[in-house]
Amino acid sequence: MDIQELRRQINIIDEQLVQNFDARMKVALEIAKYKKENGLPVFDPARERAVLDKQTAAVSEDMAMYVKLLYNTLFDLSRSYQQRYITQGSEITNHIAKAIENTSSLFPKKAVVACQGVEGAYSQQACDKLFDLPNIVYFKRFEGVFQAIESGLCEYGVLPIENSSHGSVTEVYDLMRKHRFYIVRATRLKINHRLLAKPGVQLEDIREIFSHEQAIGQCSQFLKTLKDVKITVCENTAMAAQMVSKSERRDVAAISAPVCAALYGLRVVSSDICNSDSNFTRFICIAKQLEIYPGANKISLMLNVQHKPGALYNMIAKFSALGLNLTKLESRPLAGTDFEFMFYFDLDASVYDEAALQLLSELDAGPETFTYLGSYSEI
């Protein structure tokens, strides 16, 4: 047979597949109605396992894994379709609708904002980009920012979450599991590190450099060129500049922002120290209550996916099935567990999109530990 005849046969089979799929989903909807009336869960692992055993046994060994993959996809689509019916008017969609109704049409210009570090920190610069008139309260550690939001001491908090050249700020991701908050806005800030020291100090005089671990990683290539120089990690780049300014030593320097030179009476010893000319850090703005401002086109969430083969694939398949664009996937190990992970997801999606609301409802009703982190825009 030539290829045209083979394709004709494929077309006939495809028509049958689509008709059978449509019929299967209609029956799945009737099952959803029964489950809703009788308070039964959508997910029935014993039933799915029995179907898999039967269908994989009906084909040759070399086709069994393909059949398993096919049915896992069918199960996921079927559960999604059933969940859509069962979770209409779910708790999370009502929570989102209430937040949209109660949120102002304009992002605030003035607020009390928590930042980590001291004056001159990149978090402060991101804060100034987000708010016209912020009243900034500084904290030594990232956890202090989260605690200030939870306690109501500050209305908003600004935190770095990832860098374009050195990856995620892992400490912030770990703290996100521990604290309750919502992301209400985000921004990207171009990072221009400088090596700062006291007036008159030359590069060859420096024996110790202070900075945050992210800045050290972002300037690693420059640091490798230095001989016999100790690298010391501190809480913040601006705090590093402050330490150098207050030190009685003249052989110390800081990797910090250019603005810190004027703030702390230092001078720029070296300017071209970043690994990349395109060095950006993404900051999130968090709040205690859910606020969804007009134009919000990103959704963030966290999920504790079950530790079993195919679990993450099945989760990602939900995004694909609903046509949602997944822009970030970050995993962090869960302390005290047997290699279990918490996954952080960013989506290009709006809560005004029915598919996005459907996904959130499904995840909220599912067996996985799910945390909705908010809907927001990035400036």
Side-chain angles (χ1 to χ4, degrees):
M1 290 185 288
D2 63 19
I3 192 169
Q4 296 303 324
E5 173 57 23
L6 294 171
R7 285 174 174 168
R8 189 187 69 81
Q9 293 185 24
I10 287 286
N11 290 340
I12 293 172
I13 296 170
D14 282 346
E15 290 176 4
Q16 295 170 347
L17 277 174
V18 170
Q19 291 171 4
N20 288 331
F21 176 74
D22 182 65
R24 192 184 197 281
M25 294 297 275
K26 287 176 180 176
V27 175
L29 180 59
E30 294 303 312
I31 292 174
K33 293 176 182 178
Y34 179 88
K35 288 179 176 178
K36 186 173 183 177
E37 290 172 1
N38 292 274
L40 298 175
V42 168
F43 182 46
D44 187 347
R47 164 64 179 167
E48 291 187 5
R49 192 178 305 112
V51 172
L52 274 179
D53 289 344
K54 179 180 179 180
Q55 298 304 332
T56 53
V59 296
S60 61
E61 185 175 346
D62 64 331
M63 286 298 296
M65 287 304 297
Y66 293 101
V67 170
K68 181 179 180 180
L69 179 61
L70 170 64
Y71 270 86
N72 279 332
T73 302
L74 282 174
F75 292 152
D76 192 70
L77 292 171
S78 180
R79 288 195 301 268
S80 176
Y81 194 48
Q82 290 183 24
Q83 199 74 60
R84 181 179 181 181
Y85 173 80
I86 291 174
T87 58
Q88 290 176 355
S90 65
E91 182 177 346
I92 191 168
T93 57
N94 292 334
H95 183 44
I96 288 170
K98 186 176 179 180
I100 293 172
E101 181 182 352
N102 294 336
T103 302
S104 170
S105 59
L106 295 175
F107 193 74
K109 294 183 177 181
K110 185 177 181 180
V112 180
V113 186
C115 290
Q116 187 263 351
V118 294
E119 189 73 16
Y122 287 111
S123 291
Q124 175 241 306
Q125 297 177 45
C127 180
D128 287 338
K129 187 176 178 181
L130 289 163
F131 298 90
D132 292 339
L133 297 168
N135 179 6
I136 302 177
V137 181
Y138 291 104
F139 294 86
K140 188 175 182 180
R141 300 187 182 279
F142 290 132
E143 186 157 25
V145 176
F146 285 100
Q147 291 172 341
I149 299 304
E150 284 185 328
S151 67
L153 177 63
C154 297
E155 299 168 83
Y156 300 96
V158 175
L159 294 155
I161 194 168
E162 64 178 322
N163 177 263
S164 58
S165 63
H166 198 62
S168 299
V169 184
T170 56
E171 183 182 353
V172 172
Y173 276 103
D174 290 338
L175 288 168
M176 288 168 71
R177 298 201 312 267
K178 182 179 178 182
H179 296 277
R180 294 294 299 167
F181 65 94
Y182 292 100
I183 303 173
V184 298
R185 186 146 290 196
T187 188
R188 291 179 185 267
L189 189 69
K190 192 171 193 310
I191 305 299
N192 297 301
H193 294 307
R194 300 289 187 268
L195 185 65
L196 308 181
K198 292 182 177 179
V201 174
Q202 303 299 316
L203 182 60
E204 57 268 21
D205 301 327
I206 297 170
R207 291 294 171 264
E208 187 171 6
I209 295 175
F210 301 97
S211 197
H212 186 266
E213 61 181 351
Q214 275 277 332
I216 291 169
Q218 294 161 26
C219 301
S220 59
Q221 294 176 15
F222 166 77
L223 294 175
K224 288 178 182 178
T225 66
L226 305 181
K227 304 295 182 182
D228 301 320
V229 176
K230 180 182 178 181
I231 309 300
T232 300
V233 175
C234 63
E235 289 87 353
N236 184 271
T237 56
M239 294 172 74
Q242 189 181 65
M243 290 168 59
V244 170
S245 177
K246 292 181 177 180
S247 174
E248 295 181 358
R249 296 169 55 186
R250 293 188 56 80
D251 63 347
V252 293
I255 295 175
S256 191
V259 68
C260 289
L263 279 172
Y264 298 108
L266 305 176
R267 62 177 290 272
V268 177
V269 177
S270 185
S271 298
D272 189 19
I273 65 172
C274 287
N275 295 349
S276 171
D277 292 333
S278 180
N279 187 22
F280 289 85
T281 294
R282 182 172 177 244
F283 292 82
I284 55 172
C285 179
I286 64 172
K288 186 175 183 177
Q289 303 298 329
L290 178 60
E291 300 174 3
I292 302 176
Y293 292 91
N297 57 3
K298 290 184 177 295
I299 295 175
S300 292
L301 51 93
M302 289 191 298
L303 278 170
N304 182 10
V305 180
Q306 294 178 357
H307 182 44
K308 64 179 185 179
L312 181 58
Y313 167 82
N314 291 334
M315 180 57 60
I316 294 175
K318 293 179 184 293
F319 301 100
S320 178
L322 295 171
L324 298 173
N325 183 29
L326 181 62
T327 59
K328 182 176 177 65
L329 172 58
E330 179 79 18
S331 65
R332 295 296 300 155
L334 292 173
T337 65
D338 183 18
F339 295 101
E340 290 188 24
F341 290 83
M342 177 68 78
F343 291 91
Y344 175 97
F345 296 87
D346 280 346
L347 307 172
D348 276 343
S350 168
V351 286
Y352 298 99
D353 183 354
E354 184 180 344
L357 288 174
Q358 179 185 338
L359 173 68
L360 295 176
S361 295
E362 288 180 31
L363 296 177
D364 193 43
E368 297 87 4
T369 302
F370 164 67
T371 304
Y372 167 62
L373 295 178
S375 301
Y376 56 95
S377 59
E378 184 170 303
I379 64 169

